[in-house]
Amino acid sequence: MNQIQVCARCAARWPVIGPPAQWCPRCSGVLLVPVRSDAYLPPNRRGFRWIARTPNAPRGVGDPRPPRQNLSTPHYDAVPQWGLTDIVDTTPVAESRAERMADRVGSLLALATVLYGLAVFAEIGRYAILVRNQTRLIPQMLLTASDAAVYFTQLGGLLCAVLGAVAAVCWLLRQRREQYAREKRTDPRSRGEIILGCALPVLNLVMPAMYLLELVRRDPRGVRLVKIWWAFWAFSGLLLVVNAYWRSRPGLQAMADGVLLSAFIALIAALTAALTLLVVRRIEHKDWRGEPESATRWVPVPRSVLEQSKEKETAAL
């Protein structure tokens, strides 16, 4: 038995030759499912037809009565509750603990820089007391003040450095999330991978620099600054190993030399904290104080223009 397909738009009948077609060759309308030619129904007896109804009209199959035309003026039954009277929730979203730590990265790094800088002078003062003690007795009050200065600056600097490192990791996660969102890309590194790369010993001497280089890859000055910071960061890790070995040596001279080594380590720690702060500000496009930096463009000026401007200034005076 032959089969035909009926166009839903122009009701043309087309014989089925091979696989069923989808579009009508005459009007490009949709062809219905193939049926037998003797079972074809006229358009008013098809299995469906398009009916336009108003939103409040009852649902059902076919209303034989023609729709009554509404000639009244369109109007609202009530005052609309949309538009300029929309109520927008302006309640600020509470920041998470990680966001609050990321906001404090600048102050913590600056405080660590100051404390480690003071620790350098405290260690040098202790070494001077040791040298003086070879020939004369040192008052107990001076020794107590020296010990207090060393402990306060070293322990305070270490505490601020640890908190600053945690804040820097939180800042790094936020900065990468925001930058990749601006570029409409997905961060290739997961949150857990970044945290482990910054926390695991030995690995944290390499991976943080890689994460930062991915942020400043389009900034040549930023790349140079990150590489300098990387050198100080790796060197400070090496100094910790040297300090642990040096303190295990017996003898008074080794203890005295350990004081100078502690002063040098404090100096490197202060420079590393300061460079970390500069890297953070560079990526944020701010100066070291946290103020937005202004764009500066240097333009070459001919010597003749400079001479004319000087002549005008001289004439004005």
Side-chain angles (χ1 to χ4, degrees):
M1 185 64 64
N2 295 330
Q3 291 184 335
I4 61 173
Q5 286 183 270
V6 182
C7 177
R9 176 183 295 179
C10 65
R13 294 181 292 177
W14 301 95
V16 178
I17 302 175
Q22 295 182 357
W23 311 105
C24 177
R26 177 187 296 175
C27 65
S28 300
V30 178
L31 295 179
L32 303 180
V33 179
V35 296
R36 294 183 303 176
S37 59
D38 57 351
Y40 169 69
L41 298 177
N44 59 352
R45 298 283 305 280
R46 292 176 190 164
F48 70 92
R49 62 192 178 99
W50 297 104
I51 300 176
R53 298 181 184 277
T54 59
N56 296 327
R59 296 290 187 265
V61 180
D63 188 0
R65 295 175 299 176
R68 185 176 58 181
Q69 187 176 6
N70 186 7
L71 300 179
S72 61
T73 304
H75 65 280
Y76 289 107
D77 296 331
V79 178
Q81 299 300 317
W82 46 264
L84 298 179
T85 60
D86 285 350
I87 300 177
V88 181
D89 186 10
T90 58
T91 304
V93 180
E95 289 185 344
S96 62
R97 186 177 301 177
E99 292 293 331
R100 292 194 296 269
M101 286 296 295
D103 294 335
R104 296 187 179 96
V105 62
S107 58
L108 289 173
L109 291 175
L111 187 56
T113 302
V114 173
L115 289 176
Y116 274 124
L118 294 177
V120 175
F121 295 99
E123 294 288 354
I124 292 177
R126 170 180 281 187
Y127 187 80
I129 290 175
L130 292 176
V131 174
R132 182 67 174 177
N133 194 27
Q134 291 180 350
T135 56
R136 294 185 180 182
L137 294 177
I138 305 299
Q140 183 63 34
M141 184 178 298
L142 182 58
L143 292 176
T144 303
S146 176
D147 292 340
V150 170
Y151 292 146
F152 174 76
T153 55
Q154 289 283 10
L155 294 179
L158 178 62
L159 178 61
C160 291
V162 172
L163 294 177
V166 175
V169 174
C170 296
W171 172 86
L172 178 62
L173 292 172
R174 183 180 67 181
Q175 197 67 24
R176 289 179 65 92
R177 181 176 66 250
E178 293 177 354
Q179 179 161 333
Y180 279 98
R182 287 194 300 267
E183 297 176 356
K184 297 181 179 181
R185 297 171 53 198
T186 303
D187 192 347
R189 302 185 185 273
S190 64
R191 181 187 182 93
E193 178 184 354
I194 295 176
I195 294 176
L196 289 178
C198 296
L200 293 179
V202 181
L203 191 63
N204 59 6
L205 297 178
V206 179
M207 296 311 298
M210 302 299 296
Y211 303 149
L212 291 173
L213 288 174
E214 292 174 354
L215 288 177
V216 298
R217 60 187 182 278
R218 298 179 181 177
D219 184 8
R221 294 180 59 186
V223 171
R224 189 182 309 111
L225 182 60
V226 170
K227 290 181 178 180
I228 295 174
W229 169 85
W230 191 0
F232 275 86
W233 173 249
F235 185 59
S236 62
L238 178 62
L239 285 179
L240 293 178
V241 178
V242 173
N243 187 39
Y245 166 73
W246 195 271
R247 289 186 178 276
S248 64
R249 298 178 59 188
L252 295 177
Q253 186 61 41
M255 295 176 61
D257 294 340
V259 174
L260 289 180
L261 181 60
S262 297
F264 183 69
I265 292 176
L267 176 61
I268 297 299
L271 294 176
T272 303
L275 285 174
T276 306
L277 180 59
L278 291 179
V279 170
V280 169
R281 297 309 187 199
R282 180 68 185 179
I283 296 177
E284 291 180 343
H285 303 287
K286 298 179 181 179
D287 56 12
W288 64 273
R289 295 174 297 181
E291 300 294 334
E293 62 181 5
S294 58
T296 304
R297 183 179 180 183
W298 297 94
V299 179
V301 179
R303 185 181 298 274
S304 59
V305 175
L306 295 177
E307 294 176 354
Q308 292 177 2
S309 62
K310 290 181 179 180
E311 291 177 358
K312 291 180 180 179
E313 293 178 358
T314 304
L317 295 176

